Amino acid sequence: DEAAGNEIVVTARLREENVQTVPIAIVALSPEDLTNRNIASLADLSNSTPGVAITTISGGTLTNIYIRGQAPANTAGDLHVEANVGGFIDDIYQTSRNTLDILSVLDVGQVQIAKGPQSALFGRSTFAGAMSISTRRPSTRFEGNVQATVGVDQDYRLRGSVSVPISET
């Protein structure tokens, strides 16, 4: 999108920067990117992001994120092992691995995946990298979004969001 004059801004180093100047291997996806790539879950994100594998265990309730093949030891036998990839939602570290698959629930503003050790900036559990999901910020004008999905075996989904400006009246 650089050619169109749009600058991609990321916060991988805890400050807003152009993605072209950040010295980190990073993947940044806007809401338009998520829609164009048909990414509605972490499994979809895993399928369209090189070097990232996202799996679920324990009946699909716990999420494991692997960046560049680095995984926590013994995740199958001990569900309390800390992950090597830190998950953040609106810059808040998610200590539970069952809270990350929110792409289908929240109005996502941006997804950033920083590959490689991020412990200096993000702290523990970021040896392999960090995944940050930011929700969309409120708008100053009325806007909305509706998505519908129809699948096999009576799989019907409707998802929407509305942003309404707040005024003094």
Side-chain angles (χ1 to χ4, degrees), residues 13-36:
R13 295 195 303 168
L14 303 180
R15 59 180 171 266
E16 292 185 0
E17 299 176 284
N18 183 333
V19 72
Q20 295 295 323
T21 62
V22 177
I24 298 172
I26 187 169
V27 174
L29 300 170
S30 69
E32 293 79 22
D33 294 332
L34 296 172
T35 301
N36 292 341

Side-chain angles (χ1 to χ4, degrees), residues 17 42 48 65 73 165:
E17 299 176 284
L42 289 181
S48 66
I65 304 170

Side-chain angles (χ1 to χ4, degrees), residues 88-92 94 106 132-137:
F88 298 84
I89 300 173
D90 286 336
D91 298 328
I92 299 172
Q94 301 301 304
L106 292 180
S132 176
I133 300 171
S134 301
T135 56
R136 197 179 296 225
R137 300 291 171 229

Side-chain angles (χ1 to χ4, degrees), residues 2-4 6 17 19 22 26 30 33 44 47 57 63 65 69 88 100 104-105 116 119 127-128 132 134 151-152 169:
E2 285 289 326
N6 297 332
E17 299 176 284
V19 72
V22 177
I26 187 169
S30 69
D33 294 332
D44 298 336
N47 292 335
I57 59 174
T63 303
I65 304 170
F88 298 84
L100 287 177
S104 61
V105 178
S119 301
F127 177 75
S132 176
S134 301
V152 296
T169 59

